[in-house]
Amino acid sequence: MGEVVEVREVEIQALAERVLGQITELLEVENKYLSEVQQMKMDAHIKAMARRSLTGEGLPDFDDDLFDEISAPAMRLSEMVTAMFGNLSNKEALLLSIHFELAKNK
């Protein structure tokens, strides 16, 4: 990735809130939900993704094989959300997929 850019907290929060609203809709369509604790973790993760998207900061390296057991539906949702940012790597989708894998059926 390129140079890290300084971004105001309000910009990060606005992007995170926009994406979180879309995640709520995606979960509803899939007939799934997150517990209160899971939602807090998702909120924090999406805010971190928003920060990386706006600043250009990257993720540390990790082994993709750790995510081999993530289901196709969870990965699909994760890739859809990651695409909303427009500039994040597929590694972001791998990390995010854990949240969707743990979402509960209604």
Side-chain angles (χ1 to χ4, degrees):
M1 290 197 116
E3 174 180 323
V4 174
V5 178
E6 191 171 322
V7 178
R8 294 180 328 169
E9 193 64 28
V10 67
E11 294 172 275
I12 294 166
Q13 191 62 38
L15 177 56
E17 286 175 10
R18 190 172 76 238
V19 172
L20 284 165
Q22 292 174 306
I23 289 171
T24 301
E25 292 173 19
L26 287 173
L27 287 170
E28 190 67 34
V29 167
E30 296 292 325
N31 207 30
K32 293 192 173 280
Y33 73 97
L34 298 172
S35 71
E36 188 176 331
V37 171
Q38 288 172 319
Q39 186 63 56
M40 289 186 328
K41 290 177 182 180
M42 175 73 84
D43 293 353
H45 192 153
I46 294 299
K47 187 171 181 183
M49 289 175 74
R51 180 180 311 281
R52 287 190 292 274
S53 175
L54 293 171
T55 64
E57 179 184 341
L59 284 172
D61 282 336
F62 60 85
D63 185 0
D64 296 7
D65 293 341
L66 297 171
F67 300 88
D68 284 348
E69 295 185 27
I70 296 293
S71 69
M75 197 63 217
R76 181 180 48 80
L77 287 170
S78 184
E79 288 169 344
M80 289 170 63
V81 171
T82 302
M84 291 175 195
F85 290 98
N87 65 341
L88 295 177
S89 76
N90 192 50
K91 289 208 176 253
E92 293 276 3
L94 289 172
L95 288 177
L96 186 63
S97 68
I98 295 168
H99 297 283
F100 292 112
E101 192 67 40
L102 297 174
K104 295 170 178 36
N105 290 321
K106 286 188 174 180

